[in-house]
Amino acid sequence: MPFAEFKVPAGTLTAADKKKLIERTTDLYAEIYGERARPTTVVLVEEVPDGGWGVAGNVLTAAMLGAGAGAGTGTDDGGGGGA
């Protein structure tokens, strides 16, 4: 069973963004492994609380990165706290 896990800053993706990520990832697995993989492909989009991640030893926040296109739109599916 193909499995993909995405960890993203909380509040930076809308429900539509998450849907697109899941659909495109599933399409990619099906392209690589064939259509037989589509029904068993699992995609997990996990929102990491703001400040709960970092790069090169530095703690990052959504505000430091401009919060992304989906932040603050009010269309998030409630998958985690806000930025």
Side-chain angles (χ1 to χ4, degrees):
M1 157 177 25
F3 179 86
E5 181 177 17
F6 295 91
K7 292 183 186 259
V8 300
T12 60
L13 295 179
T14 65
D17 292 334
K18 292 174 192 174
K19 183 177 188 298
K20 186 184 301 183
L21 190 58
I22 291 166
E23 289 172 348
R24 290 187 181 180
T25 302
T26 301
D27 289 344
L28 179 61
Y29 274 121
E31 178 184 325
I32 292 169
Y33 291 108
E35 284 299 318
R36 70 187 185 281
R38 188 178 299 278
T40 60
T41 296
V42 176
V43 181
L44 174 64
V45 179
E46 182 178 352
E47 293 191 84
V48 178
D50 200 37
W53 51 286
V55 174
N58 299 302
V59 174
L60 300 176
T61 65
M64 292 170 67
L65 299 175
T73 62
T75 58
D76 191 7
D77 69 354

